[in-house]
Amino acid sequence: MDRSAATSRSNTAGAAGPPLSRSTAAFERAKRTIPGGSMRQATWFAPHPPYAVRGEGCWVEDLDGRRILDCANNFFSLVHGHAFPPVVEAIREVVGRGTAFGLPTEHEILLTEEIRARSPRCEQIRFCNSGTEAVMFAVKAARALTGRAAIAKFEGAYHGAYDWLEVSLSPTPANWDGPRGEPAAVAYRRAMPPAVLADTVVLPYAEPALCAAILEREGPRLAGIVLDTLASKSGMVPPPEGTLEAVRDACRRHGVMLICDEVIGFRLSQAGAHPLFGLEPDLLALGKIIGGGLPVGAVAGPAERMAAAFDHTQGPPAVAHGGTFSANPLTMAAGLAALRAYDRAAVERLGRLGDTLRARLNDAFRGAAIPAQATGLGSLFRLHLTTAPIRDYRSSCPTDAAKRALSAIHAGLLERGVLLTPNCSGALSTPMGAAEIGLLADAVAGTTAEEFRERPWH
Ligand SMILES: Cc1ncc(COP(=O)(O)O)c(C=O)c1O
């Protein structure tokens, strides 16, 4: 599974020793000007990822000429894979006429109309440039509308890099328990301001009674509850109905705003994830697929709330929102082309492929007595190296041995020409069909079985 040994292109830097692959040479060069040689923590894995040269459909070619089945899809943001012709055409049409103006364009209206037509809860929309910003603006709106500072989030859930949402992002058994067995608010990195910790309430995902009790106590000081109904970092499993009931109840009784983070989940149905769980969010954070592969984020919600938070035409707005590149025409045109092609039939077909994949993997693991399972929903999936039920962040935290095995499986899959995210999750794209799902299922099941035979993690 040593990837550098598997490639044989010569070292263009001319160093002594065995020839470097082109990706290795690129990484060596990158280390001089990029901390860690890598721009994104989430995409990095040891010794370094291959460098992409081009993508077409569900395939990517790397600097060393390898073709890789891309099941990471830029962290689930590419629902049509790479260089999807309608998106390329939409960008081509726009790019020659200017890429950003200090003026609005009609492109932004068209994309808001498309999102609203798919998802009636998204009556009004403001675009920004990332999912991080989308969640941040939704939280700021909830604060402005309620006059409260604190927010609640679920332990282990990832919502981007806004400080309050980084609380308890990756706690460990050594620090995750707080008073009376409640989840502690754990700083993500050194020197997180104490006020941030004090104003973030951490909720247990799979303990509805405890969740309800915490919300009953903390509800009066909460502006919003941020919820991703299929949080990938906390196992990629839906919340139990009891937890949803506790959330709905707290929102109703204490006037707390429900903020659904659908930066990933929007791909789960035409209208997003919330209708699948009977939720009526006060605000939504969107991103990823709505930009057609270009940088994007959006905060959305019922018109009255969105206007109260963001309408700046009647005096100073409750929330300051701008962004030099927000709603740039390239992103708007690419997003419109991508969403129009992701119609009900496409969503359902991708969901069926996801069901097939998870069933094939779970059958294979059971049949070969491999302690592993696949979770997920629709086009999203994640591999876990245990047969114990995955219910939340804590039960999805791999042991050290399982962590090492997941890295080895990820590397082994890459050897076989399949790319997952480094924690072995993935998202399907519309260019995939039965052949690609078969290839993916065989590769994941085979690599996992091989790793278990060589270095059992149980
Ligand atoms: C659920 C969720 N929310 C927010 C974000 C942040 O989005 P971005 O990376 O565009 O800032 C992500 C990114 O992966 C995400 O998965």
Side-chain angles (χ1 to χ4, degrees):
M1 293 187 182
D2 176 0
R3 283 178 300 107
S4 55
T7 49
S8 58
R9 299 289 176 103
S10 62
N11 174 6
T12 51
L20 297 181
S21 76
R22 288 188 177 175
S23 282
T24 302
F27 182 64
E28 291 303 316
R29 185 173 166 194
K31 282 197 286 194
R32 292 201 288 270
T33 48
I34 302 169
S38 171
M39 284 290 171
R40 294 163 70 190
Q41 178 186 329
T43 57
W44 190 83
F45 49 86
H48 61 78
Y51 280 68
V53 174
R54 63 178 66 81
E56 189 183 353
C58 50
W59 295 91
V60 172
E61 187 185 318
D62 77 3
L63 257 184
D64 294 286
R66 287 188 312 173
R67 257 164 67 81
I68 300 167
L69 179 66
D70 186 359
C71 306
N73 278 303
N74 192 26
F75 282 73
F76 318 156
S77 63
L78 299 167
V79 79
H80 300 297
H82 301 278
F84 180 53
V87 168
V88 173
E89 193 44 46
I91 292 173
R92 209 194 307 279
E93 230 186 276
V94 170
V95 71
R97 286 188 263 137
T99 57
F101 305 94
L103 295 170
T105 70
E106 287 183 320
H107 298 287
E108 68 198 36
I109 308 171
L110 293 172
L111 187 54
T112 56
E113 287 171 350
E114 173 67 24
I115 293 172
R116 176 174 164 152
R118 306 167 73 91
S119 190
R121 202 72 190 161
C122 299
E123 242 182 333
Q124 290 201 337
I125 296 147
R126 282 292 192 105
F127 291 110
C128 48
N129 298 294
S130 68
T132 290
E133 285 176 67
V135 185
M136 175 184 79
F137 283 120
V139 166
K140 288 186 174 196
R143 288 183 183 139
L145 295 175
T146 59
R148 303 168 184 172
I151 59 153
K153 64 159 292 195
F154 286 88
E155 187 176 50
Y158 180 66
H159 299 289
Y162 190 41
D163 295 56
W164 286 263
L165 278 315
E166 284 191 335
V167 172
S168 287
L169 177 53
S170 51
T172 65
N175 63 13
W176 66 30
D177 270 324
R180 298 175 303 284
E182 287 178 13
V186 177
Y188 179 51
R189 294 290 182 250
R190 279 178 79 191
M192 181 174 255
V196 169
L197 287 165
D199 276 339
T200 306
V201 172
V202 180
L203 301 171
Y205 196 65
E207 302 285 349
L210 186 54
C211 182
I214 296 171
L215 286 173
E216 182 56 24
R217 189 182 69 226
E218 305 285 354
R221 73 182 183 105
L222 292 179
I225 301 171
V226 181
L227 169 66
D228 174 354
T229 46
L230 204 72
S232 98
K233 262 198 88 235
S234 29
M236 209 181 258
V237 286
E241 175 50 34
T243 298
L244 293 179
E245 190 45 46
V247 166
R248 282 193 213 99
D249 198 49
C251 291
R252 204 170 37 238
R253 282 160 37 78
H254 299 295
V256 182
M257 302 231 150
L258 173 58
I259 301 170
C260 280
D261 177 350
E262 300 210 358
V263 169
I264 291 179
F266 198 67
R267 63 156 58 218
L268 289 175
S269 87
Q270 265 203 303
H274 61 278
L276 304 179
F277 299 96
L279 294 171
E280 295 195 331
D282 297 292
L283 293 161
L284 293 101
L286 310 179
K288 305 227 187 221
I289 72 163
I290 67 161
L294 297 188
V296 78
V299 53
E304 199 186 322
R305 269 189 208 102
M306 287 295 290
F310 294 106
D311 184 350
H312 54 267
T313 61
Q314 311 298 315
V319 181
H321 166 246
T324 305
F325 293 102
S326 292
N328 73 79
L330 281 190
T331 297
M332 299 295 102
L336 184 65
L339 286 186
R340 280 187 176 161
Y342 194 49
D343 57 13
R344 186 181 302 278
V347 175
E348 288 175 3
R349 191 183 75 85
L350 222 47
R352 284 193 299 274
L353 288 180
D355 291 341
T356 304
L357 173 69
R358 286 183 295 275
R360 279 189 63 166
L361 288 175
N362 288 326
D363 286 349
F365 295 144
R366 259 191 308 273
I370 308 293
Q373 61 183 297
T375 59
L377 188 67
S379 53
L380 298 166
F381 64 93
R382 183 171 165 187
L383 176 67
H384 302 270
L385 300 185
T386 176
T387 50
I390 302 295
R391 304 161 64 232
D392 54 11
Y393 170 74
R394 295 187 186 195
S395 52
S396 74
C397 271
T399 61
D400 287 347
K403 236 184 254 171
R404 283 192 295 276
L406 279 169
S407 296
I409 291 165
H410 176 263
L413 282 167
L414 203 49
E415 281 293 295
R416 293 179 183 220
V418 173
L419 180 68
L420 301 187
T421 70
N423 75 0
C424 288
S425 61
L428 306 181
S429 61
T430 58
M432 293 179 178
E436 287 78 15
I437 298 306
L439 198 160
L440 172 59
D442 289 348
V444 173
T447 309
T448 306
E450 200 176 288
E451 180 61 26
F452 187 65
R453 274 195 298 273
E454 283 174 26
R455 283 173 291 272
W457 51 84
H458 266 241

